[in-house]
Amino acid sequence: MSLQSLYRFTYSGKHMQALRDRSSWIEPYPDKHLSYVVWWTEMVKGVSWEEAFRRYNHYIQNG
């Protein structure tokens, strides 16, 4: 795993499309904040949208 592979994943395929469309599925947040979360995992197949939303919501609530 490298930062380059993370970049390729983030800005390609379905994930890139989701980022483009994020204004249709993320509610506006009144304060400035990051609109994404990143975490390292050994099991790429274990990554799901549900996990991403859980982690994002945790970030919004807890910083």
Side-chain angles (χ1 to χ4, degrees):
M1 181 70 64
S2 67
L3 289 177
Q4 184 179 25
S5 63
L6 175 62
Y7 182 88
R8 279 194 308 265
F9 168 80
T10 302
Y11 297 104
S12 66
K14 290 182 181 181
H15 194 266
M16 180 182 66
Q17 188 62 43
L19 288 176
R20 280 190 195 143
D21 298 338
R22 69 179 165 248
S23 64
S24 66
W25 53 267
I26 290 181
E27 295 178 19
Y29 195 71
D31 298 322
K32 185 177 180 178
H33 72 287
L34 297 175
S35 60
Y36 55 89
V37 292
V38 176
W39 69 95
W40 294 105
T41 180
E42 295 294 324
M43 300 180 63
V44 174
K45 292 185 180 190
V47 176
S48 67
W49 287 111
E50 292 81 11
E51 178 72 3
F53 280 107
R54 185 184 70 73
R55 289 174 183 255
Y56 180 79
N57 288 328
H58 178 82
Y59 164 74
I60 294 298
Q61 293 172 5
N62 302 293

